[in-house]
Amino acid sequence: MRIAVLGTGQLARMMALEGIAMGVEFSFLKTPGEDSRCVEHLGCVVEASAGDSAAQIYALLGKPDVVTTEKEGVSVVDYEQFLPYCAVSPPAKAVWLTQNRLREKNFLNDQGVPTAAYKPADTLAQVTSAAQALGFPVIVKTQENGYDGKGQWWLDSVADITKMHGDEASGPWLLEKVVPFEREVSVVAARSANGEVAVYPISENVHKNGILLTSFVPVVQISASQAAEVNAHITRIMQELEYVGVLSMECFVTAQGIVANELAPRVHNSGHWTQSAMPASQFEQHVRAILNWPLAPTQMTGAAGMLNLLGVAVEPSAVLKPRHALHWYGKAVRPGRKVGHINITAPTPEALREQLKQLESDVYA
Ligand code: AMP
């Protein structure tokens, strides 16, 4: 069995590390200039040349059984070109939907999944009128290519639109009414081609400067009915898309209920804790799903969490405690860059929070 991954980052790395343990071979397709250190020695890294046909790239990738992706920012045409030769999972439609925030929000609403109120805008004049129609405060996001909080402006009033001056060319945008959330959570789930679905417990996520810093489970403040709502939403979305692989959904928990923020058609940073706390991590689960193997169970006891290593290297002997697991991606350390993470397991949510806080201060002291 061979899986080809579009992308050569840490998500591809962790997928391959799990798959290789199960006897699966990997190859990786990189874009020109893409750093492939994360997947060094894990399989053949292919860089297509302009003019290579799909058949040629498929052959260079070693004729995989499945092509998958570690990122939503792939050209849908480049992704779909493998369909005559092998399975392409998750489906290209899911990738296409999540590449554009307007398409994604329309889809979520069509599926009955609540989102922030939103309006599109192509010009700054339209930003003004859309913001007035929604009511301030609003967040303006580029419809495409925004990630980790980039390409976003928080507007409290019409006067704040001056913040966007100089960025007029970054549109079209999507305006969203600010959601007064209690916490940010996410859910990671998998569906295999035969329709089997497995949903991991919901995690709470804390961001710093727009980048995920920690995730932890269980979310003790979320009610059973809210958790069931999140599970029902992601299950319905996967069924609707005939999704195969791991899908992630970020949500806000509000006094009025669950509000979905965005989907990611892939394994997700907020699901890394599954490596330490689950019979199968999200990476193994993705491999199992796209190869149509039985999915692993997703019930857990105890508590688990993850701290992202953002632009910091750690000295394992100084920082790691017995229930800590270090995952290092093999990248050069640059400020703010995700270079690794540490997973923690603990018997109770309280003990977990305490240890996560301690670890954060040890790492970022
Ligand atoms: P995003 O790029 O959509 O994931 O947004 C990045 C972060 O901005 C989220 O994790 C939230 O903290 C915040 N955010 C995004 N959209 C909203 C919203 N409509 N209301 C409140 N906060 C938001």
Side-chain angles (χ1 to χ4, degrees):
M1 280 284 162
R2 178 181 287 253
I3 294 173
V5 187
L6 303 196
T8 57
Q10 65 264 21
L11 301 180
R13 172 192 178 83
M14 290 185 276
M15 243 181 244
L17 287 171
E18 298 272 19
I20 288 167
M22 300 187 291
V24 180
E25 292 180 337
F26 280 79
S27 53
F28 307 91
L29 187 63
K30 74 171 205 170
T31 50
E34 188 174 353
D35 185 346
S36 57
R37 257 176 293 189
C38 286
V39 295
E40 236 167 49
H41 312 302
L42 297 178
C44 146
V45 178
V46 171
E47 185 176 329
S49 311
D52 279 351
S53 68
Q56 282 168 321
I57 303 170
Y58 175 68
L60 288 170
L61 287 168
K63 302 195 173 173
D65 300 282
V66 186
V67 169
T68 189
T69 179
E70 65 150 4
K71 56 190 173 188
E72 50 271 55
V74 294
S75 143
V76 171
V77 174
D78 289 351
Y79 189 48
E80 276 184 327
Q81 69 179 339
F82 298 107
L83 273 173
Y85 308 101
C86 63
V88 172
S89 303
K93 184 180 177 191
V95 173
W96 175 80
L97 276 174
T98 59
Q99 284 177 346
N100 178 290
R101 291 181 191 275
L102 178 59
R103 272 201 300 262
E104 182 177 52
K105 287 268 180 335
N106 287 341
F107 170 77
L108 287 167
N109 281 276
D110 288 348
Q111 297 308 311
V113 180
T115 64
Y118 62 96
K119 279 187 181 296
D122 292 330
T123 62
L124 289 194
Q126 287 177 5
V127 169
T128 308
S129 54
Q132 284 168 330
L134 289 169
F136 289 97
V138 295
I139 298 179
V140 183
K141 303 178 180 179
T142 54
Q143 277 182 24
E144 296 191 356
N145 300 324
Y147 63 95
D148 285 344
K150 293 192 177 66
Q152 301 193 358
W153 299 265
W154 177 295
L155 309 181
D156 281 314
S157 67
V158 172
D160 275 351
I161 293 173
T162 53
K163 288 183 189 172
M164 295 180 68
H165 289 171
D167 287 306
E168 287 86 348
S170 64
W173 304 280
L174 187 74
L175 280 82
E176 293 180 18
K177 200 163 167 57
V178 168
V179 176
F181 59 80
E182 292 164 1
R183 58 197 77 253
E184 293 191 72
V185 298
S186 58
V187 65
V188 173
R191 182 177 178 277
S192 55
N194 66 15
E196 190 189 355
V197 167
V199 186
Y200 286 109
I202 294 163
S203 71
E204 178 163 351
N205 307 320
V206 175
H207 298 83
K208 197 171 174 187
N209 303 325
I211 302 180
L212 183 70
L213 182 65
T214 59
S215 291
F216 42 91
V217 286
V219 188
V220 284
Q221 299 88 347
I222 197 167
S223 68
S225 69
Q226 284 176 325
E229 209 182 309
V230 172
N231 287 4
H233 288 330
I234 196 154
T235 301
R236 192 165 58 252
I237 290 167
M238 290 194 300
Q239 284 162 348
E240 171 66 23
L241 293 172
E242 294 182 6
Y243 196 90
V244 175
V246 163
L247 175 74
S248 319
M249 179 170 71
E250 293 179 36
C251 301
F252 303 124
V253 180
T254 77
Q256 284 70 45
I258 299 293
V259 173
N261 182 33
E262 61 183 5
L263 299 169
R266 54 173 170 79
V267 287
H268 197 261
N269 196 169
S270 67
H272 289 0
W273 58 270
T274 56
Q275 290 168 313
S276 285
M278 282 287 153
S281 73
Q282 61 168 347
F283 304 100
E284 178 181 335
Q285 196 79 303
H286 183 68
V287 169
R288 293 167 75 125
I290 65 178
L291 294 179
N292 209 12
W293 295 356
L295 298 180
T298 48
Q299 291 76 35
M300 79 173 281
T301 51
M306 179 227 52
L307 175 76
N308 262 341
L309 300 176
L310 302 171
V312 284
V314 291
E315 173 46 53
S317 61
V319 167
L320 293 187
K321 302 237 165 39
R323 294 174 81 133
H324 291 177
L326 171 66
H327 294 261
W328 185 252
Y329 308 151
K331 292 166 151 182
V333 179
R334 286 204 290 270
R337 193 180 197 200
K338 290 177 185 171
V339 288
H341 67 272
I342 295 174
N343 287 329
I344 305 186
T345 52
T348 64
E350 296 72 29
L352 191 269
R353 292 301 296 274
E354 204 48 49
Q355 288 180 36
L356 203 49
K357 233 169 68 189
Q358 183 60 49
L359 177 64
E360 185 182 332
S361 65
D362 290 348
V363 167
Y364 291 101

